Amino acid sequence: MAEIWLGTMSNQGSPEKCREARRRRIEMRRYFTSSATVTVTAASGETSTEDNRNRKEKRTETPEGPTDGGKRNRLIETSASSSTSSGELPELSSPIPSTSGEAPAVVSVAVFGSISVSGRSREMEDAISERPGLCRPAIACRKPVHFFGVYDGHGGAHVAKLCKERMHMFLEEELMKEEPQELDESGGPAASSSTQSPPFTHHQRQELHQQSGAAVVINDEEEKEERRKGKWRVAMERSFEKMDELALMACACGSIGGRCGCDRAGLSSEIVGSTAVVAVLTPDRLLVANCGDSRAVLSRGGRAIPLSSDHKPDRPDELERIEAAGGRVIFLNGARVLGILAMSRALGDKYLKPIVISQPEVSFTKRMPEDECLILASDGLWDVLSNDVACDIARRCLFEGSTSSAVDLNTLPSTETPEENLSEVQRSQSRCSLAAALLTRLALGRKSSDNISVIVIDLKRTA
């Protein structure tokens, strides 16, 4: 103790300052021992007076303070921050303390797993995008929106990579354009007297009912729902349109816009394109936008429900559209646009415009309690696996225990943490990853010759 006192005396030169420094160190030790309690109190939205007092002392501390005080401050701050990030993940509906006086926000957890492999193909042209909690647009009542996308490139990889980097940004930009005052409480656009008017007023309904003697039922909720769907559809279509414009300006070397003088410019870049299947999850609905032959399939109550339809050149409506645009479908190792492209819609593919278009088909599905999982995958999976088989495998992985005994663990990310020591959300994430890996392994076993990309989303635990 004498050595410590003498060392402090030599550094500070004043017993009063040393006593003040010692008092601060004692208070810091007390704070350090109670840091866990402070963290729990902050998570419940309460305020700790001891925490505030220590923060004030840190702010008012002069440079003449003890040299070890800064180190202790750093240790205390690290301990407090790590105690909230390590351990179990937050519950699906746990409140976050609000600092603005508003109602506390709700933590939204997206539980999913994915895998993307080149398979038997020499080139890797697939890409996947996972953006949980992308934004909180007014059209979704300020609730979190989760974004997932699978992009299957052809002719090269740069368009699929661009989609991975930019598609979610374009969609977020479109969704956040909506001003809050333009939306009603249900999340749909509010009717404006100058631009929109209800189909019938109350007086008109009564007159029409009296005149015709028939019941006129006009459901305002359905009208709001249709307007909201229209807003979602426009946002999706504009996002795909912007993405297509960017893909047409991009060179295979990665440069965008202007004239690129590299060897890969010109035709080498114009023959490159990509499919895109995008899923947007809100707490009450599933939105899927598809362009190409990648696919989204929902497992609901033990049944497989496709949420997208493949854009194949021999699909009757697509065949009619292609011929109306002046194109032809030639059967050469399958139906192909002009004997070249095996899909009728894609992003990029400048040399096949306007026969091959980038407009997506958008579907809306209300989430139900019996929804189990959603699978997004490229055609490397769907060419060899049916919807029913894929959903059955994913369902068994997610809800019938661990599948580690059925999967070669050499192909999966290893973990030293036993499953029983993980939280429920972490176990679900692990099982989603195992489901995606098992589907990929089965597709390879069935001689799939293309890249394989799979995303499995657990809808039971994704809020």
Side-chain angles (χ1 to χ4, degrees), residues 196-209 216-218 220 223:
Q196 294 181 352
S197 60
F200 298 98
T201 65
H202 180 69
H203 181 65
Q204 289 174 334
R205 294 180 190 180
Q206 290 181 341
E207 287 185 350
L208 185 58
H209 177 70
V216 179
V217 180
I218 299 177
D220 292 338
E223 293 176 4

PDB file of all heavy atoms in Angstrom, residues 196-209 216-218 220 223:
ATOM      1  N   GLN A 196     -58.903  12.106 -54.782  1.00  0.00           N
ATOM      2  CA  GLN A 196     -59.696  10.901 -54.726  1.00  0.00           C
ATOM      3  C   GLN A 196     -60.977  11.184 -53.970  1.00  0.00           C
ATOM      4  O   GLN A 196     -61.047  12.070 -53.139  1.00  0.00           O
ATOM      5  CB  GLN A 196     -58.925   9.783 -54.005  1.00  0.00           C
ATOM      6  CG  GLN A 196     -57.699   9.323 -54.758  1.00  0.00           C
ATOM      7  CD  GLN A 196     -57.002   8.212 -54.001  1.00  0.00           C
ATOM      8  OE1 GLN A 196     -57.350   7.909 -52.862  1.00  0.00           O
ATOM      9  NE2 GLN A 196     -56.031   7.606 -54.637  1.00  0.00           N
ATOM     10  N   SER A 197     -61.979  10.417 -54.254  1.00  0.00           N
ATOM     11  CA  SER A 197     -63.228  10.538 -53.526  1.00  0.00           C
ATOM     12  C   SER A 197     -63.819   9.160 -53.382  1.00  0.00           C
ATOM     13  O   SER A 197     -63.597   8.299 -54.227  1.00  0.00           O
ATOM     14  CB  SER A 197     -64.212  11.449 -54.278  1.00  0.00           C
ATOM     15  OG  SER A 197     -64.484  10.920 -55.558  1.00  0.00           O
ATOM     16  N   PRO A 198     -64.533   8.873 -52.324  1.00  0.00           N
ATOM     17  CA  PRO A 198     -65.125   7.548 -52.163  1.00  0.00           C
ATOM     18  C   PRO A 198     -66.117   7.274 -53.271  1.00  0.00           C
ATOM     19  O   PRO A 198     -66.758   8.191 -53.796  1.00  0.00           O
ATOM     20  CB  PRO A 198     -65.800   7.636 -50.794  1.00  0.00           C
ATOM     21  CG  PRO A 198     -65.969   9.088 -50.535  1.00  0.00           C
ATOM     22  CD  PRO A 198     -64.843   9.778 -51.217  1.00  0.00           C
ATOM     23  N   PRO A 199     -66.264   6.019 -53.670  1.00  0.00           N
ATOM     24  CA  PRO A 199     -67.159   5.692 -54.770  1.00  0.00           C
ATOM     25  C   PRO A 199     -68.586   6.162 -54.512  1.00  0.00           C
ATOM     26  O   PRO A 199     -69.269   6.609 -55.418  1.00  0.00           O
ATOM     27  CB  PRO A 199     -67.074   4.167 -54.846  1.00  0.00           C
ATOM     28  CG  PRO A 199     -65.779   3.826 -54.199  1.00  0.00           C
ATOM     29  CD  PRO A 199     -65.564   4.853 -53.144  1.00  0.00           C
ATOM     30  N   PHE A 200     -69.060   6.040 -53.272  1.00  0.00           N
ATOM     31  CA  PHE A 200     -70.415   6.449 -52.938  1.00  0.00           C
ATOM     32  C   PHE A 200     -70.422   7.161 -51.594  1.00  0.00           C
ATOM     33  O   PHE A 200     -69.732   6.748 -50.667  1.00  0.00           O
ATOM     34  CB  PHE A 200     -71.359   5.231 -52.842  1.00  0.00           C
ATOM     35  CG  PHE A 200     -71.491   4.472 -54.130  1.00  0.00           C
ATOM     36  CD1 PHE A 200     -70.749   3.333 -54.345  1.00  0.00           C
ATOM     37  CD2 PHE A 200     -72.361   4.906 -55.124  1.00  0.00           C
ATOM     38  CE1 PHE A 200     -70.872   2.629 -55.516  1.00  0.00           C
ATOM     39  CE2 PHE A 200     -72.481   4.200 -56.295  1.00  0.00           C
ATOM     40  CZ  PHE A 200     -71.739   3.068 -56.508  1.00  0.00           C
ATOM     41  N   THR A 201     -71.203   8.226 -51.484  1.00  0.00           N
ATOM     42  CA  THR A 201     -71.441   8.847 -50.193  1.00  0.00           C
ATOM     43  C   THR A 201     -72.544   8.088 -49.480  1.00  0.00           C
ATOM     44  O   THR A 201     -73.228   7.237 -50.068  1.00  0.00           O
ATOM     45  CB  THR A 201     -71.842  10.323 -50.367  1.00  0.00           C
ATOM     46  OG1 THR A 201     -73.096  10.381 -51.054  1.00  0.00           O
ATOM     47  CG2 THR A 201     -70.775  11.079 -51.154  1.00  0.00           C
ATOM     48  N   HIS A 202     -72.716   8.394 -48.204  1.00  0.00           N
ATOM     49  CA  HIS A 202     -73.755   7.715 -47.435  1.00  0.00           C
ATOM     50  C   HIS A 202     -75.147   7.987 -48.019  1.00  0.00           C
ATOM     51  O   HIS A 202     -75.984   7.081 -48.112  1.00  0.00           O
ATOM     52  CB  HIS A 202     -73.687   8.176 -45.975  1.00  0.00           C
ATOM     53  CG  HIS A 202     -74.717   7.523 -45.091  1.00  0.00           C
ATOM     54  ND1 HIS A 202     -74.679   6.186 -44.767  1.00  0.00           N
ATOM     55  CD2 HIS A 202     -75.833   8.032 -44.488  1.00  0.00           C
ATOM     56  CE1 HIS A 202     -75.714   5.880 -43.996  1.00  0.00           C
ATOM     57  NE2 HIS A 202     -76.425   6.989 -43.818  1.00  0.00           N
ATOM     58  N   HIS A 203     -75.381   9.222 -48.436  1.00  0.00           N
ATOM     59  CA  HIS A 203     -76.683   9.568 -49.028  1.00  0.00           C
ATOM     60  C   HIS A 203     -76.906   8.819 -50.340  1.00  0.00           C
ATOM     61  O   HIS A 203     -78.004   8.327 -50.621  1.00  0.00           O
ATOM     62  CB  HIS A 203     -76.760  11.079 -49.256  1.00  0.00           C
ATOM     63  CG  HIS A 203     -78.063  11.535 -49.836  1.00  0.00           C
ATOM     64  ND1 HIS A 203     -79.268  11.424 -49.157  1.00  0.00           N
ATOM     65  CD2 HIS A 203     -78.369  12.091 -51.055  1.00  0.00           C
ATOM     66  CE1 HIS A 203     -80.250  11.893 -49.904  1.00  0.00           C
ATOM     67  NE2 HIS A 203     -79.718  12.304 -51.071  1.00  0.00           N
ATOM     68  N   GLN A 204     -75.860   8.725 -51.172  1.00  0.00           N
ATOM     69  CA  GLN A 204     -75.975   8.001 -52.442  1.00  0.00           C
ATOM     70  C   GLN A 204     -76.252   6.520 -52.210  1.00  0.00           C
ATOM     71  O   GLN A 204     -76.993   5.898 -52.972  1.00  0.00           O
ATOM     72  CB  GLN A 204     -74.695   8.185 -53.258  1.00  0.00           C
ATOM     73  CG  GLN A 204     -74.538   9.597 -53.824  1.00  0.00           C
ATOM     74  CD  GLN A 204     -73.187   9.792 -54.495  1.00  0.00           C
ATOM     75  OE1 GLN A 204     -72.216   9.116 -54.160  1.00  0.00           O
ATOM     76  NE2 GLN A 204     -73.136  10.719 -55.431  1.00  0.00           N
ATOM     77  N   ARG A 205     -75.637   5.957 -51.183  1.00  0.00           N
ATOM     78  CA  ARG A 205     -75.898   4.550 -50.888  1.00  0.00           C
ATOM     79  C   ARG A 205     -77.364   4.325 -50.545  1.00  0.00           C
ATOM     80  O   ARG A 205     -77.986   3.371 -51.017  1.00  0.00           O
ATOM     81  CB  ARG A 205     -75.023   4.102 -49.702  1.00  0.00           C
ATOM     82  CG  ARG A 205     -73.529   4.104 -49.990  1.00  0.00           C
ATOM     83  CD  ARG A 205     -72.765   3.655 -48.765  1.00  0.00           C
ATOM     84  NE  ARG A 205     -71.329   3.859 -48.926  1.00  0.00           N
ATOM     85  CZ  ARG A 205     -70.435   3.561 -48.007  1.00  0.00           C
ATOM     86  NH1 ARG A 205     -70.838   3.041 -46.865  1.00  0.00           N
ATOM     87  NH2 ARG A 205     -69.163   3.777 -48.215  1.00  0.00           N
ATOM     88  N   GLN A 206     -77.903   5.233 -49.708  1.00  0.00           N
ATOM     89  CA  GLN A 206     -79.313   5.090 -49.331  1.00  0.00           C
ATOM     90  C   GLN A 206     -80.231   5.219 -50.554  1.00  0.00           C
ATOM     91  O   GLN A 206     -81.170   4.446 -50.722  1.00  0.00           O
ATOM     92  CB  GLN A 206     -79.672   6.134 -48.285  1.00  0.00           C
ATOM     93  CG  GLN A 206     -79.040   5.881 -46.923  1.00  0.00           C
ATOM     94  CD  GLN A 206     -79.451   6.932 -45.909  1.00  0.00           C
ATOM     95  OE1 GLN A 206     -79.917   8.021 -46.278  1.00  0.00           O
ATOM     96  NE2 GLN A 206     -79.286   6.605 -44.630  1.00  0.00           N
ATOM     97  N   GLU A 207     -79.942   6.194 -51.412  1.00  0.00           N
ATOM     98  CA  GLU A 207     -80.773   6.375 -52.605  1.00  0.00           C
ATOM     99  C   GLU A 207     -80.698   5.159 -53.514  1.00  0.00           C
ATOM    100  O   GLU A 207     -81.720   4.685 -54.033  1.00  0.00           O
ATOM    101  CB  GLU A 207     -80.325   7.621 -53.359  1.00  0.00           C
ATOM    102  CG  GLU A 207     -80.701   8.926 -52.671  1.00  0.00           C
ATOM    103  CD  GLU A 207     -80.342  10.123 -53.521  1.00  0.00           C
ATOM    104  OE1 GLU A 207     -79.634   9.933 -54.545  1.00  0.00           O
ATOM    105  OE2 GLU A 207     -80.755  11.243 -53.168  1.00  0.00           O
ATOM    106  N   LEU A 208     -79.464   4.661 -53.717  1.00  0.00           N
ATOM    107  CA  LEU A 208     -79.308   3.505 -54.587  1.00  0.00           C
ATOM    108  C   LEU A 208     -79.999   2.284 -54.008  1.00  0.00           C
ATOM    109  O   LEU A 208     -80.627   1.495 -54.720  1.00  0.00           O
ATOM    110  CB  LEU A 208     -77.809   3.218 -54.795  1.00  0.00           C
ATOM    111  CG  LEU A 208     -77.456   2.105 -55.787  1.00  0.00           C
ATOM    112  CD1 LEU A 208     -78.031   2.417 -57.160  1.00  0.00           C
ATOM    113  CD2 LEU A 208     -75.959   1.924 -55.873  1.00  0.00           C
ATOM    114  N   HIS A 209     -79.926   2.148 -52.707  1.00  0.00           N
ATOM    115  CA  HIS A 209     -80.596   1.020 -52.057  1.00  0.00           C
ATOM    116  C   HIS A 209     -82.116   1.130 -52.189  1.00  0.00           C
ATOM    117  O   HIS A 209     -82.806   0.141 -52.453  1.00  0.00           O
ATOM    118  CB  HIS A 209     -80.207   0.970 -50.582  1.00  0.00           C
ATOM    119  CG  HIS A 209     -80.891  -0.118 -49.817  1.00  0.00           C
ATOM    120  ND1 HIS A 209     -80.618  -1.455 -49.999  1.00  0.00           N
ATOM    121  CD2 HIS A 209     -81.863  -0.068 -48.872  1.00  0.00           C
ATOM    122  CE1 HIS A 209     -81.378  -2.183 -49.195  1.00  0.00           C
ATOM    123  NE2 HIS A 209     -82.148  -1.358 -48.504  1.00  0.00           N
ATOM    124  N   VAL A 216     -76.418  -2.695 -51.155  1.00  0.00           N
ATOM    125  CA  VAL A 216     -75.144  -2.226 -51.683  1.00  0.00           C
ATOM    126  C   VAL A 216     -74.123  -2.280 -50.554  1.00  0.00           C
ATOM    127  O   VAL A 216     -74.242  -1.570 -49.563  1.00  0.00           O
ATOM    128  CB  VAL A 216     -75.269  -0.785 -52.225  1.00  0.00           C
ATOM    129  CG1 VAL A 216     -73.916  -0.314 -52.751  1.00  0.00           C
ATOM    130  CG2 VAL A 216     -76.320  -0.727 -53.297  1.00  0.00           C
ATOM    131  N   VAL A 217     -73.171  -3.159 -50.686  1.00  0.00           N
ATOM    132  CA  VAL A 217     -72.170  -3.362 -49.652  1.00  0.00           C
ATOM    133  C   VAL A 217     -70.833  -2.855 -50.177  1.00  0.00           C
ATOM    134  O   VAL A 217     -70.304  -3.385 -51.142  1.00  0.00           O
ATOM    135  CB  VAL A 217     -72.061  -4.847 -49.249  1.00  0.00           C
ATOM    136  CG1 VAL A 217     -71.013  -5.028 -48.164  1.00  0.00           C
ATOM    137  CG2 VAL A 217     -73.416  -5.347 -48.786  1.00  0.00           C
ATOM    138  N   ILE A 218     -70.349  -1.839 -49.564  1.00  0.00           N
ATOM    139  CA  ILE A 218     -69.048  -1.283 -49.941  1.00  0.00           C
ATOM    140  C   ILE A 218     -68.149  -1.358 -48.719  1.00  0.00           C
ATOM    141  O   ILE A 218     -68.393  -0.705 -47.715  1.00  0.00           O
ATOM    142  CB  ILE A 218     -69.189   0.159 -50.429  1.00  0.00           C
ATOM    143  CG1 ILE A 218     -70.094   0.208 -51.654  1.00  0.00           C
ATOM    144  CG2 ILE A 218     -67.829   0.757 -50.740  1.00  0.00           C
ATOM    145  CD1 ILE A 218     -70.337   1.596 -52.163  1.00  0.00           C
ATOM    146  N   ASP A 220     -65.081  -0.490 -46.827  1.00  0.00           N
ATOM    147  CA  ASP A 220     -63.992   0.476 -46.817  1.00  0.00           C
ATOM    148  C   ASP A 220     -62.645  -0.176 -46.531  1.00  0.00           C
ATOM    149  O   ASP A 220     -61.609   0.254 -47.059  1.00  0.00           O
ATOM    150  CB  ASP A 220     -64.270   1.556 -45.769  1.00  0.00           C
ATOM    151  CG  ASP A 220     -65.447   2.431 -46.153  1.00  0.00           C
ATOM    152  OD1 ASP A 220     -65.759   2.481 -47.361  1.00  0.00           O
ATOM    153  OD2 ASP A 220     -66.064   3.041 -45.258  1.00  0.00           O
ATOM    154  N   GLU A 223     -61.216  -1.508 -49.674  1.00  0.00           N
ATOM    155  CA  GLU A 223     -60.704  -0.436 -50.516  1.00  0.00           C
ATOM    156  C   GLU A 223     -59.328   0.018 -50.040  1.00  0.00           C
ATOM    157  O   GLU A 223     -58.411   0.226 -50.840  1.00  0.00           O
ATOM    158  CB  GLU A 223     -61.681   0.734 -50.513  1.00  0.00           C
ATOM    159  CG  GLU A 223     -63.015   0.428 -51.178  1.00  0.00           C
ATOM    160  CD  GLU A 223     -63.987   1.596 -51.067  1.00  0.00           C
ATOM    161  OE1 GLU A 223     -63.571   2.647 -50.543  1.00  0.00           O
ATOM    162  OE2 GLU A 223     -65.136   1.444 -51.504  1.00  0.00           O
TER     163      GLU A 223
END
